[in-house]
Amino acid sequence: MSKWMLWMLLTMLTGNPLMSMVLVIFILFVADRFTWRVLPSPVRLFKRFQRAGELAGTILTNPHERRARHELADIRVEQRRYAEAVDILKPNLEAGDEDVDTLFLLGVAYLGAGDARRGELLLDEAAKLDAGYRQGAIELERGRFRLERGELKGAIEALERFCAIRHGSVEGRYLLARALAKDGRSADAKAMREQAWREYVAAPGFQRRRERRWAWLSRPSRPLMYAVLLALVLGGGGMLARRAGLFSPGSPYPGYPAGYGGGYPAASGPGEVVEPDVYE
């Protein structure tokens, strides 16, 4: 809704819907880079895409390069291309790689690909090697995918274990609040969302940038307030511009008042043309 309002205001100012759409994208991207950092970095996305191409070429040349397979599978999981990640990483497990990194990554890939049984088994094996791997990442992924499958009891148990391991996680508390709400425990869900916001406010700057998306999902009124303020600023600017005669439909040139004739013929009535004054 906020993007729609911004587009309408810019269209009123410029008179060009396509230009307004480009301006909306540019404004949101610049604002995000300098403030919220919710949107993914295009530079990072490009580098990951480039790196994925290099790794795919390495595997094509040497199919037994396990390190390249693991790194490429990690990129595919981040891109949510889970089935591809399974095909890429499964040969490593078959070749004897049973370390916690491989078991965890392949387990997440299986869960994302829809094979919950294999995914859970692999995460179980990873937990046997290191139950606190990456500060509870195993329990976080268990809870996330159980929540997606509708296994609310299991999701709540896994996410509660994760929050006990990683105390300051806003993401974990937001997901737990969602699971509690779906389980009919609305009061507990509300309390968990409030706790998620408190964790976000108390977190250091680098963690707030990383967890801002989950904090705003926990308290959606905050980004809505920013959107309203932005709309008011743009609306005020539009009113001032119209009063000054800028972007007026009657103006022959953008940026000039409506009465500016510029010395060119202007229609004064049906079939009449007023010639400009000529000074000798």
Side-chain angles (χ1 to χ4, degrees):
M1 180 61 72
S2 60
K3 299 180 183 67
W4 173 255
M5 291 172 59
L6 179 59
W7 176 78
M8 289 185 65
L9 287 168
L10 289 173
T11 301
M12 290 171 59
L13 288 172
T14 63
N16 189 325
L18 293 178
M19 182 185 296
S20 299
M21 186 180 299
V22 174
L23 288 173
V24 166
I25 295 171
F26 178 76
I27 289 171
L28 291 176
F29 174 76
V30 172
D32 180 78
R33 286 294 91 196
F34 284 96
T35 54
W36 310 309
R37 292 185 178 271
V38 174
L39 300 176
S41 169
V43 175
R44 185 176 183 274
L45 291 176
F46 175 75
K47 287 183 177 179
R48 295 287 276 178
F49 176 80
Q50 189 177 40
R51 180 59 179 163
E54 294 172 358
L55 292 168
T58 300
I59 294 171
L60 188 63
T61 304
N62 183 9
H64 304 291
E65 180 55 54
R66 298 181 191 176
R67 185 176 299 176
R69 283 185 174 277
H70 190 283
E71 187 178 349
L72 181 57
D74 185 46
I75 293 174
R76 293 298 183 236
V77 166
E78 184 181 344
Q79 296 172 339
R80 302 191 177 212
R81 296 163 63 175
Y82 297 109
E84 288 184 38
V86 169
D87 294 337
I88 292 167
L89 192 58
K90 188 164 61 173
N92 283 21
L93 185 65
E94 294 170 349
D97 288 354
E98 297 182 355
D99 57 287
V100 63
D101 291 320
T102 300
L103 293 172
F104 170 76
L105 186 58
L106 188 56
V108 173
Y110 268 118
L111 289 174
D115 193 338
R117 185 182 66 84
R118 283 193 176 92
E120 291 276 359
L121 285 174
L122 286 166
L123 290 185
D124 287 340
E125 294 301 316
K128 289 177 183 178
L129 296 177
D130 185 0
Y133 175 72
R134 283 168 49 182
Q135 292 186 299
I138 294 172
E139 299 302 332
L140 175 62
E141 297 303 330
R142 279 190 206 274
R144 188 197 314 278
F145 285 104
R146 286 175 181 177
L147 179 59
E148 288 184 5
R149 297 196 303 270
E151 298 179 12
L152 300 180
K153 183 179 179 181
I156 292 171
E157 291 174 353
L159 290 168
E160 285 178 340
R161 289 194 295 268
F162 170 71
C163 291
I165 296 172
R166 195 181 301 180
H167 298 285
S169 172
V170 180
E171 178 184 5
R173 281 163 176 75
Y174 167 74
L175 293 175
L176 180 55
R178 277 188 58 199
L180 290 169
K182 288 188 175 183
D183 197 39
R185 299 163 57 181
S186 57
D188 293 337
K190 182 179 179 181
M192 189 56 60
R193 285 194 299 270
E194 291 298 322
Q195 187 176 350
W197 182 258
R198 288 195 298 270
E199 293 285 357
Y200 170 74
V201 172
F206 72 92
Q207 185 176 344
R208 285 201 299 269
R209 286 192 295 270
R210 187 172 62 243
E211 302 243 51
R212 186 168 285 119
R213 173 194 174 193
W214 307 107
W216 282 7
L217 287 171
S218 299
R219 184 173 287 187
S221 60
R222 182 55 62 94
L224 181 61
M225 180 184 70
Y226 291 149
V228 170
L229 289 175
L230 180 61
L232 290 174
V233 170
L234 289 174
M239 291 178 62
L240 292 174
R242 284 187 174 278
R243 287 188 178 184
L246 302 177
F247 304 108
S248 174
S251 174
Y253 299 104
Y256 288 94
Y260 180 81
Y264 285 87
S268 60
E272 295 184 30
V273 174
V274 178
E275 296 293 334
D277 294 334
V278 178
Y279 296 94
E280 296 183 355

